[in-house]
Amino acid sequence: MEDQNLALRIFLSVVGILGVFGNGLACVVIARVRFMHTLTNGFIFNQALIDLLGSVTLLSSRLVVPTPEPFPQGDGGALLCVLWVTNVFVFQMFFTSTFNLVALTLERYLAIVFPFRYQLLGTRRNAIMVILGVWVSAFLFNSFGFFIQYYEDGQCKQTLVAHPEVLGVAIITITYAIPVAVMMVVYVHITVVLKREAARVEPTVATASAGDRQQGAGPSVGTAPEGQGESLMRARRNTFKTLLTVCVAFTVCWTPNEIIFFLFNLGAGVDLSSPVYICSVGLAASNGCINPFIYAIKYRQFRKALKTLLGFRNQTEMSLAAVSSRHR
């Protein structure tokens, strides 16, 4: 058991360190590169900030740092009991991350499925209000965490809750089941809409290409071979695929732990010290560091912004500039 706990602490420490550096880099890239200042990237920035703070709280939580023995006395012990033993800040970041992921999903849904309405509602002010709402709602929902432990006679004790299984199922429903269901339905609908739009754009592109061939025209130097509609479609698809991957990663990372927690609340004989449960905790925690890797692999705009921040120019732009200079 001690070996398992030690292995978990080491793994969570690595996850926390990766989360701090990865999400910190994502925040810097979005904040420093001007063309990343969009509403969608604002929500992605908030997601990275949440995961950054979550990684910091994970590294300082009792999941990584063993509970001191003997337990501190006095006000320090009471504060440690309420704020640290409960892992209240770790759960705060998890709830906030989940709610922001849903908000990010709905922002894309509004932009793609209802573009004209998005023109009216997709303002910076509304985005800030939604982001603030995410933080406030997560804090209010997590406020019960401050009362599940109490300090008495030099010991940190657990508060007896009437029907704790009801509370457990409610937490699972609000922070996992409903968000996953919403994201699944939304992304299925977005997929249908994008396919429908692609079917409308492709015939137009094909007609334009045929006209160019008949006139003997070829793409001019420095001119994109695709039309504006197709270019916009490609960008929207790339953002969609990136965020879909983020949501799938969230679901994969959290599902095992949520299933075990659900069975535990139903009274099933779940061993919370078993290797299966410990692995589920590690998998859930890893969700906090995985998103920056997804951005780097899937999100073209993020890769371009990272190159810009690091001082690298896009190789295609350099080649086109060189060709253009020869033809002047």
Side-chain angles (χ1 to χ4, degrees):
M1 181 62 184
E2 288 298 326
D3 292 340
Q4 291 178 354
N5 287 336
L6 178 60
L8 179 61
R9 287 194 174 100
I10 293 174
F11 179 78
L12 294 181
S13 298
V14 173
V15 166
I17 293 171
L18 288 175
V20 168
F21 283 100
N23 290 294
L25 177 61
C27 288
V28 171
V29 169
I30 296 174
R32 294 289 300 276
V33 180
R34 184 175 296 275
F35 65 76
M36 293 292 286
H37 296 175
T38 65
L39 291 186
T40 303
N41 288 332
F43 283 97
I44 293 177
F45 175 87
N46 192 46
Q47 190 72 36
L49 177 62
I50 294 166
D51 290 339
L52 170 62
L53 295 176
S55 298
V56 172
T57 57
L58 177 65
L59 287 172
S60 59
S61 71
R62 69 184 181 92
L63 295 173
V64 174
V65 182
T67 304
E69 294 182 4
F71 201 80
Q73 303 295 308
D75 294 338
L79 196 63
L80 196 67
C81 177
V82 174
L83 299 181
W84 188 71
V85 173
T86 58
N87 282 324
V88 65
F89 293 118
V90 175
F91 286 109
Q92 172 67 43
M93 292 301 105
F94 161 57
F95 296 153
T96 310
S97 177
T98 304
F99 293 170
N100 186 75
L101 196 56
V102 174
L104 177 56
T105 300
L106 294 177
E107 187 271 342
R108 282 293 81 201
Y109 180 74
L110 183 63
I112 294 174
V113 180
F114 303 102
F116 295 109
R117 192 173 300 175
Y118 183 76
Q119 294 292 328
L120 298 175
L121 299 177
T123 63
R124 182 178 180 181
R125 178 180 178 276
N126 287 344
I128 293 174
M129 293 297 293
V130 171
I131 289 173
L132 288 176
V134 164
W135 282 90
V136 172
S137 60
F139 176 79
L140 293 176
F141 181 77
N142 188 49
S143 59
F144 73 89
F146 293 100
F147 305 101
I148 61 176
Q149 300 277 154
Y150 67 97
Y151 183 77
E152 185 178 76
D153 299 329
Q155 294 182 336
C156 189
K157 301 179 180 180
Q158 187 170 3
T159 304
L160 296 178
V161 180
H163 305 293
E165 67 280 358
V166 175
L167 177 61
V169 172
I171 293 173
I172 296 171
T173 302
I174 296 174
T175 64
Y176 173 76
I178 292 178
V180 169
V182 169
M183 289 187 289
M184 286 179 59
V185 171
V186 166
Y187 278 115
V188 168
H189 194 188
I190 291 177
T191 301
V192 173
V193 171
L194 286 177
K195 286 185 176 181
R196 192 181 304 153
E197 289 185 357
R200 288 200 301 264
V201 171
E202 286 174 1
T204 304
V205 175
T207 302
S209 299
D212 288 341
R213 285 195 298 270
Q214 289 176 359
Q215 297 174 13
S220 60
V221 175
T223 303
E226 59 185 3
Q228 183 178 3
E230 187 181 3
S231 177
L232 178 62
M233 178 65 63
R234 285 169 60 87
R236 291 169 71 180
R237 279 184 173 179
N238 179 249
T239 304
F240 163 73
K241 290 178 181 179
T242 301
L243 298 181
L244 176 60
T245 305
V246 169
C247 291
V248 169
F250 168 84
T251 305
V252 170
C253 288
W254 277 99
T255 296
N257 186 263
E258 295 290 347
I259 291 176
I260 293 174
F261 187 49
F262 180 71
L263 294 175
F264 174 78
N265 282 280
L266 292 183
V270 176
D271 183 7
L272 298 183
S273 62
S274 67
V276 174
Y277 176 74
I278 290 175
C279 288
S280 75
V281 173
L283 183 62
S286 66
N287 184 239
C289 73
I290 199 172
N291 287 345
F293 294 98
I294 295 175
Y295 303 148
I297 295 172
K298 298 286 293 182
Y299 196 13
R300 293 193 189 98
Q301 191 181 42
F302 181 83
R303 292 201 304 269
K304 182 179 178 182
L306 181 59
K307 291 178 181 179
T308 300
L309 185 66
L310 296 177
F312 297 123
R313 292 185 62 187
N314 185 278
Q315 294 298 322
T316 302
E317 293 177 355
M318 293 177 64
S319 300
L320 290 174
V323 172
S324 298
S325 63
R326 294 195 198 103
H327 287 78
R328 287 176 183 171

